[in-house]
Structure formats: C-alpha cells, structure tokens
Amino acid sequence: MEMLLDFWAAYSSTVVFAMVNSFIALSMYAVLSAGILSFTTIVFAAIGGFMAAQMIAGAGLPISVAIMGAGLAGLAASVLLAPLFLRLETHWMALASLALVLITRVVVLNAPALTGGVNGMLVPVRVGVMEMAIWLALVALVFYRLHHSWYGLATRAVREDPSVAATMGISTWRIQFIAFAISGAVGGIGGAGMAVTLQFISADTYFLGAAFTMIASTVLGGSFHWFGPIVGAFIFTALPTLMQSIVPSIQDVAKGVVLLVIMIYLPRGLVDPRARKLRKAARERQTLRDHHAPLEPSHDTILPGKTSKEAKA
Amino acid sequence: MTVSAHQDQGAPLHELRNVMMRFGGVVAVDNLTMAIPKGSVHGLIGPNGAGKTTVINLITGMFFPTEGTIHFAGKRTDGKQPHEIAALGISRTYQNVRLFSGMSALEQVMTGCYLNRDSSLFQSFLGMPIARANWRRVREKAMHLLERVSMADRADELAETLSYGEQRRIEIARALGSDPQLLLLDEPAAGMNQSEAREIGKLVHELCDAGLTVLMVEHNMSMVTEFCQSCTVINFGRLLITGDAATCLADPEVQAAYFGRKKHA
Ligand SMILES: Nc1ncnc2c1ncn2[C@@H]1O[C@H](COP(=O)(O)OP(=O)(O)OP(=O)(O)O)[C@@H](O)[C@H]1O
Ligand SMILES: [Mg+2]
C-alpha cells in the first residue's frame, strides 16, 4: 500500500501531463481522421492556453470555467480558420498550418497585454488529477459518440477516398469543416490544460516541443481510432520518466527511437481496428480450413489500388 | 422485356449535349451528344481509351466539361459538385473497384446509404431515439442490399479480404444505397466468369424492372445484346452510332472500330 502511495506521489504529475497531451493528440486526430494533416492544433492550444491564463490570473475565474472558455475560444478560432484552409490542397494545407504555428509564436511575443510577451504568464493555480480526468472522460465520450455516428462513417469514407465519398452524397467540405471545429475546441481545452499544469506559459510552450509531442503521440497510438491518440499520449509522456528510472543514459534518444521503430514496424500505430479485423478474418479462415480441409479457395485478394505493403500492414 | 417496349418511353432521363472534354492536348470526349432513355438499360461501348469512363466522370461531376451541357431529369448538372449530383439521384460504380479500406462490407453499403439516413449528423451524434431508429432501418436496408447481391453472409468481413468479383458486387450494393434514379456501371462484369457476369446482368434487369435507369459500360458483347435495350457506341471520344443494341452492333463502322481491333465473346 505504502509503495503504491509512493508511486502515485512520484508519478501523478506524469499522469496529468499524459492527460493534457491526450487532448492535444486528440485534436490532431480530429482532423487527421477526416483526411487532413494540419498542425493548427498548436495554434488552437495557444489561444486556449492564454485565454485560460487570462481568465484565471486576470479575472479570478475557477479552472473549470477557464477550460470551458478555452474550448470555446479554440472553437471560434477554428471556425474562422477552416473556410480559408479548406480551399487549399492537402499538402499546401499542412504547410500553411505550419506557417500559422510560426506566426502564432510571433504574435504571442508581440502582444504582451494578452500573453505577457517575452516574459510569459504565471498561472497561480494547478489543476487536480480528478478534474483533468473528468474533462478527458467527457472529451473521450464525445469521440466515442462521433465514431459510432453518421459523422464517423462519413469521416472514414472521406479519409479513405474523398472523391468516392462525394459520389455517395457526402460533402467533403462539410465533414472537414466539422472536423476542424472539433479540433479547435479540443485543442483549446488541451492548451488550457497545459496552462493549469505547467503553471507558466509563454510563446515557447506552444511551439515545436508541443508539436513534436502531438505528432509522436498520434503516430504511436494510431490515428484510425480515437483511443489511439490517448494510448499514444500516455506512452509517450511516461516514456522519459520510465527511461530515467531504468537506464538514465538513453533517456534523451528514447523518444526518437521509439517513434522511428513504430513508424517502420507499425505504420498505422498501436491501436488499429483494421489490423484487428484482418487478424480475426485470418483466424476464422484458419479454423475453417482446419475443420473441413480444402473446401474453398482462399480469398486473400488485395484491394486494387493499394500497395501490397499497405495491405500487409 | 422487348426492345421496342422501351424505345417509346418518351423523354430521356439523362442527356449530354455537345460535350467536349479536353485534358491538355488530349480530347477524351469530342462533341458528344447522348441520351439515356428513362427506365432502360443503356449500353455505352467503345474500344479501350474511347472515353467511356470519362463520360461517367463527367456525368457524376468528377470532371467539369470543357464545353457543352449535361442535363438530368430536366436540370442542368454541369458545374455542380459531385455530392450535389449524387443527391439528385445519380450513383455509380468504378471500373477498378474503389471500396473503402478498413470498412466491413456492411459499413461500405451503409456509407452508400448516407443520403438516406433521415436524421442529421447532430441527432446521430447525440444518439437520439429517432436517429437510433433510423440507423437500425438503414442497417436493415444495407443487409437487404447485400442479400440482393448474394453477399449477406459476408457482411462483417473487411472488403480487402474478399475476392475481386465479390468486391464488385459489394460496390453495386453500395451504389444502390442512395436509392438512385440513374445507376452508372463501369464494366460491372470485368474479371468475372460467364455465370457471375450473367448474375450481374439479371440483377441489373430486375433493378430496371423496378424503375431504375442504368447506363452500363461493357466490353462483353453477349452481355450487351442480352441485357441492354439501347446503346451508344463511341470511338476516340466521338459518337459512332446510337440506337437499339442489335442495330448498333451490326453497323459496319462499329464492327470495324471495335472488332477490327479487339476480339470479344
Ligand atoms: N484525368 C485524365 N487526365 C488526362 N487524360 C485522361 C484523364 N482521364 C482520361 N484521360 C484520357 O482520356 C482518354 C479516354 O479515357 P477513358 O478512361 O475515358 O477511356 P475508356 O473508354 O474508359 O477506356 P477503357 O476501356 O480502357 O476503360 C484516354 O486517352 C485517357 O488517357
Ligand atoms: Mg474505362
């Protein structure tokens, strides 16, 4: 029991950071699941973060209200931004979003009245584990419902083949607009989460480090199911701490190495519904074969248009 | 079903008028005028590279014509977005099957029912009773469509684990999900054996009897004579002849353009 308490004392902050990173990863997943690669999550997080910091440090509002405000601010920003971004071809959209991350940093540095400028902002309160957990559970519930709704089905179609989805009457623009809106709200909440766990935020909080964590978590956990980014964020956040207690010397390279290994051997991430279904199908075929020997020829046809490498994955 | 019974069914459901489609220097469709009679199975035939798939892409709004106009049920559709054209009641399959990777057969067909879902995305997200009821209804409809193409027992299987012929049948079921008025089939029997092909032909005929209009691109001449009431023959994107199937296929120019190059059953 005592050991458990010790463990919790040592690692509860890691758990909170993991939850905060989950929001950031989920925000990226929200657009990725509709076929958009965008780094705008970092921008929404910055807006949410400084919004929350102002609401808490400036207006003295409680954390939960600040997180809500941050979500709304992120949502508003994404709704304004989406129509501009959706005019661009996918790869240009990714580049434009990267440019926007750079611009955001400059804006944050040059708006000291809102963001503290180069000095950053102190946030006088720290969020409890329970409160963060409740927020994450709420957001996860939203993603769960989305996954099992018409929106979920439509995003999967748009991601796999937007022009085919369109001939089914699915408006790619509309689906991707909604995806941006969700990404904005969740990104804003994640940014606020960073503010109330780090307790100090500046232009650098919402920059390359956060972007790297976001991409790594999503790639690691997988972007084909909402549970993937959460799993990825937890592993990716816990990794440095674990490494430190096991082999401190390789702590610095561990993140990069794990990411490379995952990308090479598990390109679709740890949580992959398709791989699970394929394994199940293979098992069923095997039992069928075992029971009544060569009854039917195997149907291992590869979907045309997919490379054999992808079909194997 | 006789040829003449369908000839005098009045106004065409779909029309291309003087349509031109250029890709840089390539003229894929050249001043083509084509009418698909309502309630019939209309064949679109021509040698490889004649522009058949391009015609289907023009009809579904995947390409905008360089010149000319396209009309469906009295409305202009050229310049409309693909999802708007789909909503008017046009649905299609693809020459090189394009199913969604990672989805089960049932999910593919349910996606095809998107226009038929009868509840908003938001209601569906909230899981409101009406949305749940609609979801169940669409599920049943999708199962029923899978039965029609004899794939109901494979409903839960991933598309990529099915054979090519099975994937084609799933694609037809998916295209029927939106209850279209006009169905465009791009070589539906390609890669199938004779009996599978005839199954497809019979299914198309049943659908047609139920009121659907079908445009079928087909290389197999016995399929065309057996299942199409009328047809349009194109070569190099230009119209060779249009009319009832037997007359078209007997035309010497068609024989030269088509059979001169390619031998078919
Ligand atoms: N997107 C495109 N860009 C450039 N050229 C194209 C495009 N699509 C089709 N073409 C050209 O248009 C011509 C007609 O092609 P299309 O695919 O419509 O022929 P098809 O009749 O369907 O042939 P097949 O029997 O081989 O399917 C070809 O010369 C092709 O190269
Ligand atoms: Mg073709």
Side-chain angles (χ1 to χ4, degrees), chain A residues 142 145-146 149-150 153-154 156-157 160-161 163-164 166-171 178 274 277-278 299 301 303-304, chain B residues 62 83 86 94 97-98 100-102 107 110-112 114 117 124-125 127 135 138 158 160-163 167 174:
Chain A
V142 167
R145 278 306 313 159
L146 287 170
S149 74
W150 278 110
L153 210 51
R156 270 165 269 159
E160 290 301 331
D161 198 330
S163 54
V164 173
T167 58
M168 241 126 262
I170 300 172
S171 161
I178 298 172
R274 188 178 76 155
K277 284 184 207 159
L278 282 174
H299 287 291
T301 334
L303 207 62
Chain B
M62 290 178 117
H83 71 270
Y94 297 84
V97 185
R98 283 167 79 172
F100 301 117
S101 167
E107 285 173 316
M110 285 184 75
T111 309
Y114 184 81
R117 65 190 190 281
S124 162
F125 163 70
W135 181 271
V138 168
L158 278 186
E160 43 266 76
T161 64
L162 301 173
S163 74
Q167 292 187 16
R174 181 179 71 178

Side-chain angles (χ1 to χ4, degrees), chain B residues 23 26 28 47-54 63 95 187 219:
Chain B
F23 296 107
V26 182
N48 288 107
K52 305 178 295 291
T53 300
T54 306
F63 302 147
Q95 185 170 357
E187 304 197 20
H219 271 309

Side-chain angles (χ1 to χ4, degrees), chain B residues 75-232:
Chain B
K75 289 188 204 73
R76 280 278 291 271
T77 63
D78 49 292
K80 280 201 197 316
Q81 294 293 322
H83 71 270
E84 296 170 324
I85 293 178
L88 291 175
I90 299 183
S91 191
R92 70 171 290 184
T93 65
Y94 297 84
Q95 185 170 357
N96 42 5
V97 185
R98 283 167 79 172
L99 291 173
F100 301 117
S101 167
M103 279 194 197
S104 71
L106 182 66
E107 285 173 316
Q108 312 268 357
V109 181
M110 285 184 75
T111 309
C113 298
Y114 184 81
L115 285 166
N116 256 327
R117 65 190 190 281
D118 286 339
S119 40
S120 70
L121 295 181
F122 194 58
Q123 287 173 325
S124 162
F125 163 70
L126 292 178
M128 284 165 62
I130 179 172
R132 281 168 187 271
N134 283 334
W135 181 271
R136 273 194 302 274
R137 185 184 53 71
V138 168
R139 225 184 124 85
E140 272 161 32
K141 183 192 170 72
M143 273 314 282
H144 175 72
L145 287 170
L146 283 174
E147 263 163 43
R148 288 205 75 160
V149 295
S150 326
M151 290 297 296
D153 53 333
R154 317 294 292 270
D156 290 326
E157 293 183 30
L158 278 186
E160 43 266 76
T161 64
L162 301 173
S163 74
Y164 196 53
E166 288 169 329
Q167 292 187 16
R168 284 205 166 277
R169 301 216 296 270
I170 302 280
E171 220 187 25
I172 294 177
R174 181 179 71 178
L176 291 171
S178 58
D179 286 331
Q181 281 178 268
L182 176 63
L183 177 63
L184 313 167
L185 301 172
D186 199 346
E187 304 197 20
M192 290 187 177
N193 62 35
Q194 195 68 23
S195 74
E196 280 178 314
R198 286 189 49 88
E199 284 294 315
I200 296 293
K202 271 197 279 186
L203 173 67
V204 168
H205 241 196
E206 281 166 27
L207 293 168
C208 178
D209 285 340
L212 185 70
T213 304
V214 180
L215 177 72
M216 182 157 79
V217 172
E218 187 51 70
H219 271 309
N220 186 329
M221 285 308 129
S222 65
M223 286 278 286
V224 175
T225 34
E226 189 168 359
F227 296 110
C228 298
Q229 285 96 47
S230 57
C231 70
T232 297

Side-chain angles (χ1 to χ4, degrees), chain B residues 240-259:
Chain B
L240 275 188
I241 188 169
T242 185
D244 71 83
T247 320
C248 286
L249 295 185
D251 187 86
E253 219 182 328
V254 173
Q255 293 279 334
Y258 211 82
F259 300 102

Side-chain angles (χ1 to χ4, degrees), chain A residues 9 18 44 139 246 284:
Chain A
F44 304 141
V139 170
I246 304 168
E284 273 165 14

